[in-house]
Each structure stands twice: as C-alpha cells, then as structure tokens.
Amino acid sequence: MPASKRDHLLATAERLFYEQGFHATGIDRIVAAAGVVRMTLYNHFASKEALVAAVLQARHERFVASLDAATADAPPGQATRALVEAHGRWLEHSSQHGCIMVKAMGEFAEHSAEVHALAISAKRDLLARIEAAVARDGLDHHADLARRLFVVLEGSNTAVVLLGMQPALSDTRAVVDALLNAARSVSS
C-alpha cells in the first residue's frame, strides 16, 4: 500500500488514542475510522503496540521539529523564550487535552516497557532541548535552570486542561520570565 495509507492510519490512530485513550481504542475502531480493512493496518504495523509506538514517534518528531525550528530562528539570547513560545503554540494547536506522552506513560507503565520507554525518552529529549536552548542563551552555568523550565512546561500541559489555554500559557510565560530574569540577574 502507498505510504499515504500508512500516514492516514497514523493520523487516525493518533486522534483516537489522544481523544479516547490507548487501551480504550480498539483496532476495529481505528480501521473503521480510517476507512480501511484490518489487514491494511497489519500490513503496516505488526501489532497495536507497534502502531502506538509509531504514533508516539511521529508525534514526537513533529513536536521537536517545531521546537528546533523556533530555536534555530531565535535571535541571540532568545532561544529559551523561542522554545517556550513554540511549546505554547504546540499546546494551542495539537495538545489542548494534555500530553499524549504522559497519557502513554500512565497507560503503558505496567503493560509495555517499550512504549513506556519511548514516552520517557521523548520527555528526556525535551529536557535536552531545553538544556541546549539555555546553553545557547549563555545561562547553562545555572545548573537547575533547564530542569526548572522543564517542570514549568510539563506543568503547562496539565494547566491547559484545568485553567484553559490562555491563562495557562500566560502563567507559563510569567514563570519562565521570572526564572530567566533571575538567572540573568545572577549572571550580571
């Protein structure tokens, strides 16, 4: 089958997994929503677990590409803020109901070491990008800064669901600004 069928299955599965949960979404639901037969799915993915892993990997690749593009285009000293803004745009457009990686960690901690590890790896990858942005901004001598920024961004994933998009993003920016201003004032 052409790659477009695979991509369509990935997009459909991602939407359903995100909206309904991984375990609550069966293969029959995915193939019906995608308008394909079960064999088409299994021609592209050996199992539901393989489909979940592919969904998480594809989503993470899109997410980090958006972060990388934002930091690459950031003016000197603004890489961290650019990353935070890119994270906010991601929440607005792709993650209004919380983080799919956190959902995967919760659902697969006891069911699939591979899927759970993939989600953990995605979070470590985000932390590494924050560390790189902090270093690019010349603030890497603040050992805990990147970790604290990571905690703020991760908190914003949940805050969006509870507080709403704009209050969560506004509060995230305010906390990030306070952390960056404090780090810069110590550096001066």
Side-chain angles (χ1 to χ4, degrees):
M1 300 297 314
S4 63
K5 282 285 187 202
R6 183 181 190 280
D7 292 343
H8 180 63
L9 279 164
L10 278 173
T12 302
E14 179 179 332
R15 178 179 55 80
L16 293 172
F17 290 152
Y18 187 68
E19 292 172 359
Q20 300 174 6
F22 296 98
H23 294 314
T25 304
I27 292 296
D28 289 338
R29 174 76 178 103
I30 295 167
V31 297
V36 299
V37 296
R38 190 180 264 264
M39 187 50 82
T40 301
L41 186 138
Y42 287 117
N43 284 338
H44 294 285
F45 306 99
S47 64
K48 182 179 175 183
E49 185 175 319
L51 174 61
V52 169
V55 163
L56 294 177
Q57 187 63 41
R59 185 173 173 96
H60 181 63
E61 288 171 5
R62 290 192 321 273
F63 173 62
V64 297
S66 70
L67 299 180
D68 292 347
T71 57
D73 294 340
Q78 297 298 310
T80 305
R81 287 184 201 274
L83 184 143
V84 169
E85 290 303 315
H87 182 271
R89 285 189 300 277
W90 178 265
L91 290 178
E92 287 179 308
H93 300 290
S94 302
S95 203
Q96 304 90 353
H97 306 293
C99 178
I100 199 171
M101 295 299 171
V102 171
K103 291 176 184 202
M105 284 187 271
E107 286 197 45
F108 287 97
E110 301 297 323
H111 301 287
S112 171
E114 178 188 347
V115 171
H116 187 259
L118 182 63
I120 294 287
S121 177
K123 293 301 181 181
R124 286 192 178 118
D125 196 22
L126 172 59
L127 178 57
R129 280 175 164 74
I130 295 169
E131 290 168 343
V134 166
R136 185 170 160 202
D137 289 344
L139 299 171
D140 52 330
H141 57 281
H142 296 282
D144 299 335
L145 180 59
R147 191 183 73 240
R148 289 176 181 161
L149 291 167
F150 172 80
V151 169
V152 171
L153 294 185
E154 286 300 301
S156 70
N157 292 330
T158 302
V160 163
V161 176
L162 181 63
L163 303 175
M165 187 63 68
Q166 293 316 310
L169 294 181
S170 178
D171 290 348
T172 297
R173 286 182 192 106
V175 174
V176 167
D177 286 347
L179 287 169
L180 292 175
N181 291 338
R184 285 193 170 101
S185 71
V186 171
S187 300
S188 300

Short mmCIF file of all heavy atoms in Angstrom, two decimals, residues 10-47:
data_model
loop_
_atom_site.label_atom_id
_atom_site.label_comp_id
_atom_site.label_asym_id
_atom_site.label_seq_id
_atom_site.Cartn_x
_atom_site.Cartn_y
_atom_site.Cartn_z
N LEU A 10 -1.86 6.37 10.75
CA LEU A 10 -1.19 7.02 11.88
C LEU A 10 -1.97 8.22 12.39
O LEU A 10 -2.16 8.38 13.60
CB LEU A 10 0.22 7.47 11.48
CG LEU A 10 1.32 6.43 11.50
CD1 LEU A 10 2.60 6.99 10.91
CD2 LEU A 10 1.56 5.90 12.89
N ALA A 11 -2.43 9.06 11.48
CA ALA A 11 -3.19 10.25 11.88
C ALA A 11 -4.50 9.87 12.56
O ALA A 11 -4.87 10.47 13.58
CB ALA A 11 -3.45 11.14 10.67
N THR A 12 -5.17 8.89 12.02
CA THR A 12 -6.44 8.44 12.61
C THR A 12 -6.20 7.84 13.99
O THR A 12 -6.91 8.18 14.96
CB THR A 12 -7.13 7.42 11.69
OG1 THR A 12 -7.35 8.02 10.42
CG2 THR A 12 -8.44 6.93 12.29
N ALA A 13 -5.21 6.97 14.09
CA ALA A 13 -4.91 6.34 15.38
C ALA A 13 -4.48 7.39 16.40
O ALA A 13 -4.91 7.34 17.56
CB ALA A 13 -3.82 5.28 15.20
N GLU A 14 -3.67 8.35 15.98
CA GLU A 14 -3.23 9.39 16.91
C GLU A 14 -4.44 10.15 17.46
O GLU A 14 -4.54 10.38 18.67
CB GLU A 14 -2.28 10.36 16.22
CG GLU A 14 -1.80 11.48 17.13
CD GLU A 14 -0.84 12.43 16.45
OE1 GLU A 14 -0.12 12.03 15.51
OE2 GLU A 14 -0.82 13.61 16.87
N ARG A 15 -5.33 10.55 16.59
CA ARG A 15 -6.52 11.30 17.03
C ARG A 15 -7.34 10.48 18.02
O ARG A 15 -7.73 10.96 19.08
CB ARG A 15 -7.36 11.70 15.82
CG ARG A 15 -8.64 12.45 16.19
CD ARG A 15 -9.45 12.85 14.96
NE ARG A 15 -9.78 11.75 14.07
CZ ARG A 15 -10.78 10.89 14.28
NH1 ARG A 15 -11.54 10.99 15.34
NH2 ARG A 15 -11.02 9.93 13.40
N LEU A 16 -7.59 9.22 17.69
CA LEU A 16 -8.41 8.37 18.55
C LEU A 16 -7.70 8.05 19.87
O LEU A 16 -8.34 8.09 20.94
CB LEU A 16 -8.80 7.08 17.82
CG LEU A 16 -9.74 7.28 16.64
CD1 LEU A 16 -9.90 5.98 15.85
CD2 LEU A 16 -11.09 7.80 17.10
N PHE A 17 -6.43 7.74 19.81
CA PHE A 17 -5.69 7.47 21.05
C PHE A 17 -5.70 8.69 21.95
O PHE A 17 -5.87 8.59 23.16
CB PHE A 17 -4.25 7.07 20.75
CG PHE A 17 -4.06 5.71 20.12
CD1 PHE A 17 -2.97 5.48 19.29
CD2 PHE A 17 -4.96 4.68 20.34
CE1 PHE A 17 -2.76 4.24 18.71
CE2 PHE A 17 -4.76 3.42 19.76
CZ PHE A 17 -3.67 3.21 18.94
N TYR A 18 -5.52 9.86 21.36
CA TYR A 18 -5.46 11.09 22.14
C TYR A 18 -6.83 11.40 22.76
O TYR A 18 -6.92 11.78 23.92
CB TYR A 18 -4.99 12.25 21.26
CG TYR A 18 -4.74 13.52 22.04
CD1 TYR A 18 -3.69 13.61 22.94
CD2 TYR A 18 -5.56 14.63 21.87
CE1 TYR A 18 -3.47 14.77 23.66
CE2 TYR A 18 -5.35 15.79 22.58
CZ TYR A 18 -4.30 15.86 23.48
OH TYR A 18 -4.09 17.00 24.20
N GLU A 19 -7.88 11.22 21.99
CA GLU A 19 -9.23 11.56 22.47
C GLU A 19 -9.80 10.51 23.41
O GLU A 19 -10.49 10.85 24.37
CB GLU A 19 -10.18 11.72 21.28
CG GLU A 19 -9.90 12.93 20.42
CD GLU A 19 -10.73 12.95 19.14
OE1 GLU A 19 -11.53 12.01 18.90
OE2 GLU A 19 -10.57 13.92 18.38
N GLN A 20 -9.54 9.24 23.14
CA GLN A 20 -10.23 8.17 23.86
C GLN A 20 -9.33 7.32 24.75
O GLN A 20 -9.83 6.53 25.55
CB GLN A 20 -10.94 7.26 22.85
CG GLN A 20 -11.95 8.01 22.02
CD GLN A 20 -12.55 7.15 20.92
OE1 GLN A 20 -12.31 5.95 20.82
NE2 GLN A 20 -13.35 7.78 20.07
N GLY A 21 -8.03 7.44 24.59
CA GLY A 21 -7.10 6.60 25.35
C GLY A 21 -6.59 5.46 24.48
O GLY A 21 -7.23 5.05 23.51
N PHE A 22 -5.45 4.96 24.86
CA PHE A 22 -4.81 3.89 24.08
C PHE A 22 -5.54 2.57 24.24
O PHE A 22 -5.89 1.91 23.26
CB PHE A 22 -3.35 3.74 24.49
CG PHE A 22 -2.51 4.93 24.18
CD1 PHE A 22 -2.23 5.87 25.17
CD2 PHE A 22 -2.00 5.15 22.91
CE1 PHE A 22 -1.46 6.99 24.89
CE2 PHE A 22 -1.23 6.26 22.62
CZ PHE A 22 -0.96 7.19 23.62
N HIS A 23 -5.80 2.18 25.48
CA HIS A 23 -6.42 0.88 25.71
C HIS A 23 -7.91 0.89 25.37
O HIS A 23 -8.46 -0.13 24.99
CB HIS A 23 -6.19 0.43 27.15
CG HIS A 23 -4.75 0.16 27.46
ND1 HIS A 23 -3.93 -0.57 26.63
CD2 HIS A 23 -3.98 0.53 28.50
CE1 HIS A 23 -2.72 -0.64 27.14
NE2 HIS A 23 -2.72 0.03 28.28
N ALA A 24 -8.55 2.05 25.48
CA ALA A 24 -9.98 2.15 25.18
C ALA A 24 -10.25 2.15 23.68
O ALA A 24 -11.39 1.95 23.26
CB ALA A 24 -10.56 3.41 25.81
N THR A 25 -9.22 2.37 22.88
CA THR A 25 -9.38 2.43 21.42
C THR A 25 -8.91 1.12 20.81
O THR A 25 -7.73 0.81 20.81
CB THR A 25 -8.56 3.60 20.84
OG1 THR A 25 -8.96 4.81 21.48
CG2 THR A 25 -8.77 3.71 19.34
N GLY A 26 -9.85 0.39 20.28
CA GLY A 26 -9.53 -0.89 19.68
C GLY A 26 -9.16 -0.77 18.20
O GLY A 26 -9.43 0.24 17.55
N ILE A 27 -8.57 -1.81 17.70
CA ILE A 27 -8.17 -1.87 16.29
C ILE A 27 -9.39 -1.70 15.38
O ILE A 27 -9.32 -1.00 14.37
CB ILE A 27 -7.42 -3.19 15.99
CG1 ILE A 27 -6.08 -3.22 16.71
CG2 ILE A 27 -7.25 -3.40 14.49
CD1 ILE A 27 -5.09 -2.16 16.28
N ASP A 28 -10.50 -2.32 15.75
CA ASP A 28 -11.71 -2.21 14.91
C ASP A 28 -12.16 -0.75 14.80
O ASP A 28 -12.57 -0.31 13.72
CB ASP A 28 -12.84 -3.06 15.49
CG ASP A 28 -12.59 -4.55 15.32
OD1 ASP A 28 -11.79 -4.93 14.43
OD2 ASP A 28 -13.18 -5.33 16.08
N ARG A 29 -12.06 -0.01 15.87
CA ARG A 29 -12.44 1.41 15.85
C ARG A 29 -11.50 2.20 14.93
O ARG A 29 -11.93 3.06 14.18
CB ARG A 29 -12.40 1.97 17.28
CG ARG A 29 -12.62 3.45 17.38
CD ARG A 29 -14.11 3.79 17.20
NE ARG A 29 -14.30 5.22 17.33
CZ ARG A 29 -14.49 6.05 16.31
NH1 ARG A 29 -14.55 5.60 15.09
NH2 ARG A 29 -14.64 7.34 16.52
N ILE A 30 -10.23 1.90 14.99
CA ILE A 30 -9.23 2.61 14.17
C ILE A 30 -9.46 2.33 12.69
O ILE A 30 -9.51 3.26 11.88
CB ILE A 30 -7.79 2.23 14.60
CG1 ILE A 30 -7.53 2.71 16.02
CG2 ILE A 30 -6.77 2.80 13.61
CD1 ILE A 30 -6.28 2.14 16.66
N VAL A 31 -9.61 1.07 12.33
CA VAL A 31 -9.77 0.75 10.91
C VAL A 31 -11.10 1.29 10.37
O VAL A 31 -11.16 1.76 9.23
CB VAL A 31 -9.60 -0.76 10.60
CG1 VAL A 31 -8.19 -1.22 10.94
CG2 VAL A 31 -10.63 -1.61 11.31
N ALA A 32 -12.14 1.27 11.20
CA ALA A 32 -13.42 1.83 10.76
C ALA A 32 -13.30 3.34 10.53
O ALA A 32 -13.76 3.86 9.51
CB ALA A 32 -14.51 1.53 11.79
N ALA A 33 -12.65 4.03 11.45
CA ALA A 33 -12.49 5.48 11.32
C ALA A 33 -11.58 5.83 10.14
O ALA A 33 -11.76 6.87 9.50
CB ALA A 33 -11.94 6.08 12.61
N ALA A 34 -10.60 4.98 9.88
CA ALA A 34 -9.67 5.23 8.77
C ALA A 34 -10.25 4.79 7.43
O ALA A 34 -9.72 5.15 6.37
CB ALA A 34 -8.35 4.51 9.02
N GLY A 35 -11.32 4.00 7.47
CA GLY A 35 -11.94 3.54 6.23
C GLY A 35 -11.10 2.49 5.51
O GLY A 35 -11.07 2.45 4.28
N VAL A 36 -10.42 1.65 6.31
CA VAL A 36 -9.62 0.58 5.73
C VAL A 36 -10.02 -0.74 6.38
O VAL A 36 -10.76 -0.76 7.36
CB VAL A 36 -8.10 0.82 5.93
CG1 VAL A 36 -7.65 2.11 5.25
CG2 VAL A 36 -7.72 0.81 7.40
N VAL A 37 -9.52 -1.82 5.83
CA VAL A 37 -9.76 -3.12 6.44
C VAL A 37 -8.62 -3.43 7.41
O VAL A 37 -7.54 -2.85 7.34
CB VAL A 37 -9.90 -4.23 5.38
CG1 VAL A 37 -11.14 -3.99 4.51
CG2 VAL A 37 -8.65 -4.35 4.53
N ARG A 38 -8.90 -4.33 8.31
CA ARG A 38 -7.94 -4.72 9.34
C ARG A 38 -6.58 -5.13 8.73
O ARG A 38 -5.53 -4.78 9.26
CB ARG A 38 -8.55 -5.86 10.15
CG ARG A 38 -7.82 -6.22 11.40
CD ARG A 38 -8.56 -7.37 12.09
NE ARG A 38 -9.45 -6.90 13.11
CZ ARG A 38 -9.12 -6.86 14.40
NH1 ARG A 38 -7.94 -7.26 14.78
NH2 ARG A 38 -9.97 -6.42 15.28
N MET A 39 -6.62 -5.85 7.64
CA MET A 39 -5.37 -6.33 7.02
C MET A 39 -4.49 -5.16 6.57
O MET A 39 -3.27 -5.24 6.63
CB MET A 39 -5.68 -7.26 5.85
CG MET A 39 -4.43 -7.91 5.27
SD MET A 39 -3.36 -8.67 6.52
CE MET A 39 -4.15 -10.22 6.75
N THR A 40 -5.11 -4.07 6.14
CA THR A 40 -4.32 -2.90 5.74
C THR A 40 -3.50 -2.39 6.93
O THR A 40 -2.33 -2.07 6.79
CB THR A 40 -5.24 -1.79 5.20
OG1 THR A 40 -5.96 -2.29 4.07
CG2 THR A 40 -4.45 -0.56 4.79
N LEU A 41 -4.15 -2.33 8.08
CA LEU A 41 -3.43 -1.89 9.28
C LEU A 41 -2.27 -2.83 9.57
O LEU A 41 -1.14 -2.38 9.81
CB LEU A 41 -4.38 -1.81 10.48
CG LEU A 41 -3.74 -1.23 11.73
CD1 LEU A 41 -4.69 -0.29 12.43
CD2 LEU A 41 -3.31 -2.32 12.68
N TYR A 42 -2.54 -4.13 9.54
CA TYR A 42 -1.49 -5.10 9.88
C TYR A 42 -0.42 -5.21 8.79
O TYR A 42 0.67 -5.71 9.06
CB TYR A 42 -2.11 -6.45 10.23
CG TYR A 42 -2.77 -6.42 11.58
CD1 TYR A 42 -4.14 -6.64 11.72
CD2 TYR A 42 -2.04 -6.13 12.73
CE1 TYR A 42 -4.75 -6.59 12.96
CE2 TYR A 42 -2.64 -6.07 13.98
CZ TYR A 42 -3.99 -6.30 14.08
OH TYR A 42 -4.59 -6.24 15.32
N ASN A 43 -0.71 -4.75 7.60
CA ASN A 43 0.35 -4.68 6.58
C ASN A 43 1.38 -3.61 6.92
O ASN A 43 2.52 -3.67 6.46
CB ASN A 43 -0.25 -4.40 5.20
CG ASN A 43 -0.91 -5.61 4.59
OD1 ASN A 43 -0.60 -6.74 4.95
ND2 ASN A 43 -1.83 -5.38 3.67
N HIS A 44 0.97 -2.62 7.69
CA HIS A 44 1.86 -1.51 8.05
C HIS A 44 2.39 -1.60 9.48
O HIS A 44 3.47 -1.08 9.76
CB HIS A 44 1.12 -0.18 7.87
CG HIS A 44 0.80 0.13 6.45
ND1 HIS A 44 1.74 0.55 5.54
CD2 HIS A 44 -0.37 0.06 5.77
CE1 HIS A 44 1.18 0.73 4.36
NE2 HIS A 44 -0.10 0.43 4.46
N PHE A 45 1.63 -2.24 10.36
CA PHE A 45 2.01 -2.31 11.77
C PHE A 45 1.76 -3.73 12.26
O PHE A 45 0.66 -4.25 12.13
CB PHE A 45 1.18 -1.31 12.60
CG PHE A 45 1.26 0.09 12.05
CD1 PHE A 45 0.24 0.59 11.26
CD2 PHE A 45 2.37 0.89 12.31
CE1 PHE A 45 0.31 1.87 10.73
CE2 PHE A 45 2.45 2.16 11.78
CZ PHE A 45 1.42 2.66 10.99
N ALA A 46 2.78 -4.33 12.83
CA ALA A 46 2.70 -5.73 13.24
C ALA A 46 1.70 -5.97 14.36
O ALA A 46 1.17 -7.07 14.50
CB ALA A 46 4.08 -6.24 13.66
N SER A 47 1.44 -4.94 15.16
CA SER A 47 0.56 -5.10 16.31
C SER A 47 0.02 -3.72 16.71
O SER A 47 0.51 -2.69 16.23
CB SER A 47 1.32 -5.71 17.48
OG SER A 47 2.34 -4.80 17.90
#
